[in-house]
Amino acid sequence: MKLFSLALFTALSATSFAKTYPVTGNTVNCRSGPGTSYGVKKSYQKGQSVSISCQTSGTSVSGNNIWDKTSDGCYVADYYIKTGVNGYVTTKCGSTGGGGGSSGSYCKKINTAGVNLVAQWEGFVPSPKPDPIGLPTVGYGHLCQKKNCAEVKYKFPLSQTTAKQLLSDDLPKYTACLAGYLNSKVKLNDNQLAALTSWTFNVGCGNVKTSTLIKRLNKGDNPNTVASQELPNWRKAGGQVMQGLVNRRKAEIKLFKTASSKQAYPKCQ
């Protein structure tokens, strides 16, 4: 009886002190899985607080592909939850939650070589302006989510330092969605994870999720062979081959095939 009482007290305490986050949308659906195709289990109203038990990747909503599993056992798009950060705030849900095979112990931040590669090919833009296909960007490839990039917390015009900070804020989201699409049998070192994060940052999580590259890696094909054969296919923007993308894919392949003894996925060394 004492053991039961202690367990009950512990469970109630954990629930009472769990951190909650406010809902920002007017009526936000909580679904049976991390995506808009899943059935609605319940709805939350604007201003209501929800407790997040874990997070995973799913259907992208306004550029954010993170979904939050609430204490009600359903999933809500993170875009509508005010967590205060642009990325994960708690542990990643297991594979049974629909978010891929990663246990969440992969390297959340890519190495310096990867950050520099992204910065090099995105180019530095101190104030918001359209990219080559007309999308408003700022810093090193930050795609504006609101008018005049109002979501950016750094003052415009950005310096290269604040632009790198913004990039560091953005990149973990793309590493997370990439990890969410890979099963736990895939083994990547830090250069390989960095190169694929650069690719994900460039083409978007939705395209990565349905790509042949991910399917082949999950099937067990040799990673270096897959990267060499699949990355060059991603060379178009607005339906046209862009020489800049051709060159970027070559740089990503070069980094991917650079030997490293540091494992980054599925576990970070």
Side-chain angles (χ1 to χ4, degrees), residues 47-245:
Q48 186 175 350
S49 294
V50 297
S51 177
I52 300 174
S53 59
C54 64
Q55 293 175 291
T56 188
S57 55
T59 305
S60 180
V61 176
S62 296
N64 185 347
N65 78 310
I66 298 175
W67 284 70
D68 306 329
K69 187 175 184 180
T70 74
S71 57
D72 294 310
C74 51
Y75 295 82
V76 62
D78 184 70
Y79 177 77
Y80 299 112
I81 306 299
K82 188 177 181 181
T83 60
V85 301
N86 185 20
Y88 284 70
V89 296
T90 187
T91 56
K92 191 174 171 81
C93 303
S95 58
T96 54
S102 170
S103 65
S105 58
Y106 63 92
C107 293
K108 305 301 188 296
K109 293 185 178 181
I110 63 174
N111 60 21
T112 301
V115 174
N116 290 339
L117 186 149
V118 175
Q120 174 189 351
W121 291 103
E122 292 293 338
F124 174 58
V125 180
S127 297
K129 75 173 187 178
D131 70 0
I133 60 171
L135 299 175
T137 59
V138 73
Y140 293 110
H142 175 85
L143 183 62
C144 300
Q145 301 299 314
K146 298 180 180 179
K147 186 177 181 181
N148 298 320
C149 285
E151 76 280 2
V152 175
K153 61 184 179 182
Y154 306 105
K155 184 179 179 180
F156 297 134
L158 297 176
S159 65
Q160 291 190 4
T161 298
T162 54
K164 274 285 183 73
Q165 291 173 338
L166 177 59
L167 179 60
S168 295
D169 293 341
D170 286 343
L171 283 173
K173 178 177 73 173
Y174 295 90
T175 305
C177 76
L178 169 65
Y181 305 144
L182 296 170
N183 63 43
S184 59
K185 294 181 181 180
V186 178
K187 301 292 188 288
L188 299 174
N189 64 41
D190 60 333
N191 287 331
Q192 292 171 327
L193 184 66
L196 291 184
T197 295
S198 170
W199 167 61
T200 304
F201 186 80
N202 183 223
V203 305
C205 292
N207 286 322
V208 169
K209 182 178 182 180
T210 58
S211 68
T212 303
L213 188 153
I214 293 298
K215 292 176 183 176
R216 289 183 62 184
L217 287 178
N218 285 337
K219 191 175 67 174
D221 289 0
N222 180 275
N224 283 338
T225 301
V226 172
S228 297
Q229 294 178 348
E230 296 296 334
L231 283 177
N233 294 330
W234 298 85
R235 63 188 188 279
K236 292 183 178 181
Q240 297 184 342
V241 174
M242 308 287 285
Q243 188 58 46
L245 293 179

